[in-house]
Amino acid sequence: MHFSSLARPFWYTTTRARVCSNSGVAKKVRQQTGLIHRGAVYHYRHRVPSDLLSHYGRREIKRPLNTKDKGEAMRLAAAERTRVLVEFARVRVYRIS
């Protein structure tokens, strides 16, 4: 379906956004993946949940994916998201114990 002649749906224009960084402007590739393109390399970004802010001492976890290829970056971001969520679960379990 081509959207040039039709009104674009809500999701079409909101899946891309620009975010500021210390090194200039970074382009947020997709909001759902946490994938950010900074310079020539993709990075993974994940917000730290409010109950774990005291443990991490920061609001975001950022990790470089060391790739320039978007497809590979998306696969690596999915794996990194799993690692981060497992890490959050472990921290929650050890804080309760």
Side-chain angles (χ1 to χ4, degrees):
M1 181 176 200
H2 189 33
F3 295 117
S4 63
S5 62
L6 302 173
R8 291 185 171 136
F10 173 75
W11 57 264
Y12 185 83
T13 57
T14 58
T15 55
R16 290 184 175 260
R18 290 196 177 275
V19 294
C20 292
S21 70
N22 292 341
S23 63
V25 176
K27 196 185 247 186
K28 196 179 238 186
V29 178
R30 288 199 181 172
Q31 200 168 13
Q32 298 85 358
T33 62
L35 198 59
I36 297 175
H37 191 238
R38 296 182 66 187
V41 179
Y42 285 92
H43 293 256
Y44 177 74
R45 175 206 161 271
H46 198 101
R47 183 183 60 82
V48 175
S50 58
D51 62 326
L52 299 178
L53 283 174
S54 61
H55 176 76
Y56 284 95
R58 55 189 167 162
R59 291 183 176 197
E60 292 181 343
I61 293 176
K62 295 177 189 172
R63 297 186 179 153
L65 299 175
N66 299 323
T67 185
K68 296 178 182 182
D69 180 44
K70 183 178 176 182
E72 183 180 355
M74 292 183 81
R75 287 188 298 276
L76 292 171
E80 193 63 37
R81 181 177 193 274
T82 302
R83 279 190 217 106
V84 168
L85 293 177
V86 167
E87 182 180 329
F88 288 163
R90 285 183 183 157
V91 170
R92 285 185 177 115
V93 166
Y94 289 124
R95 288 181 71 187
I96 293 172
S97 300

